[in-house]
Amino acid sequence: MSKLDFKTGIYAVQYRNSILKELFRKSIHLCSAFIPTLLDFAYWPVIILLSCALIFYSIAELLRMKGISIPVVSKITAVAARKRDENKFVLGPVTLVIGILISAFLWEPEFYRIGIYSLAFGDGLASLFGKLFGRIPIPLANGKTVAGSLTCFIAVYISSFCVCMNAPIALILGVTAMLIEVIPMLDFDNICIPVFIGGLSQFLINGSF
């Protein structure tokens, strides 16, 4: 085997592992799409469970940083962590839950549904499709691609329309979510997208926050 073939093989394995890691991470995002339905059936129990999960995860991460591994949780974190998160507190799950909780507290059910769907489908699919099909990078966007941003727009447009049944408003929400997603905010887009899109949808439809 030539040195070029060996390097190509290494890059292929690294790319495959990167895709599998991203698929695992974004499956967590996609699962958050079930939360609005759960909130409809049992609002406060779900809020309490999410809050407890947030606290438990944060404690587990702090312990992991000190070299104390928590069964299952620490393993999942290690598998899902990006390269930039190595030897650091993995913030993604924290901001994900915080974004959902703030949206559920601030907005009416129809609108926190739109916000959480935007996070689950828009942000969740953007990164995955960007890695799979992204060929054109967006300047100053920290590696984000045109394919990923368009995926975010389409996903938020469709999910918002399915909730509000208003094409112009869904279009505005899709464009807005795409613009938020393209800003390199590390993991804090997990908060900005559901909170801002949920609030914007409530403003556009009801005319008030």
Side-chain angles (χ1 to χ4, degrees), residues 21-58:
K21 186 182 288 285
E22 196 67 23
L23 182 61
F24 180 79
R25 289 183 62 258
K26 294 309 176 182
S27 66
I28 299 173
H29 267 70
L30 294 172
C31 285
S32 65
F34 293 107
I35 291 178
T37 301
L38 296 174
L39 288 169
D40 290 343
F41 285 101
Y43 182 87
W44 283 111
V46 172
I47 292 295
I48 292 170
L49 285 173
L50 287 173
S51 300
C52 290
L54 175 61
I55 294 169
F56 177 74
Y57 172 82
S58 298

Side-chain angles (χ1 to χ4, degrees), residues 30 35 43 54 68 77 80 93 102 144 163 207:
L30 294 172
I35 291 178
Y43 182 87
L54 175 61
I68 304 172
T77 301
I102 294 175
K144 297 187 179 184
V163 177

Side-chain angles (χ1 to χ4, degrees), residues 123-138:
D123 187 51
L125 294 175
S127 180
L128 182 59
F129 275 69
K131 278 189 173 295
L132 287 171
F133 308 110
R135 298 294 181 270
I136 305 174
I138 298 174

Side-chain angles (χ1 to χ4, degrees), residues 70-209:
I70 303 299
V72 182
V73 178
S74 296
K75 179 64 176 177
I76 291 175
T77 301
V79 172
R82 291 171 171 170
K83 189 173 181 62
R84 74 178 187 217
D85 294 323
E86 291 179 358
N87 303 316
K88 297 179 182 178
F89 188 104
V90 180
L91 198 59
V94 173
T95 56
L96 180 76
V97 175
I98 289 175
I100 291 171
L101 287 173
I102 294 175
S103 299
F105 279 129
L106 289 180
W107 314 129
E108 297 170 13
E110 177 183 353
F111 309 116
Y112 69 59
R113 182 179 295 273
I114 289 175
I116 294 171
Y117 283 171
S118 297
L119 173 64
F121 299 118
D123 187 51
L125 294 175
S127 180
L128 182 59
F129 275 69
K131 278 189 173 295
L132 287 171
F133 308 110
R135 298 294 181 270
I136 305 174
I138 298 174
L140 306 177
N142 196 27
K144 297 187 179 184
T145 65
V146 172
S149 294
L150 289 177
T151 299
C152 178
F153 163 73
I154 294 169
V156 174
Y157 173 80
I158 293 174
S159 61
S160 298
F161 179 77
C162 288
V163 177
C164 70
M165 303 303 293
N166 186 310
I169 287 178
L171 180 65
I172 294 171
L173 296 175
V175 171
T176 304
M178 179 182 67
L179 294 176
I180 295 174
E181 191 276 333
V182 81
I183 299 172
M185 293 187 288
L186 299 179
D187 291 308
F188 289 96
D189 55 353
N190 290 341
I191 298 175
C192 293
I193 288 177
V195 173
F196 192 82
I197 296 301
L200 180 60
S201 65
Q202 182 164 311
F203 175 76
L204 292 173
I205 294 172
N206 282 356
S208 69
F209 288 109

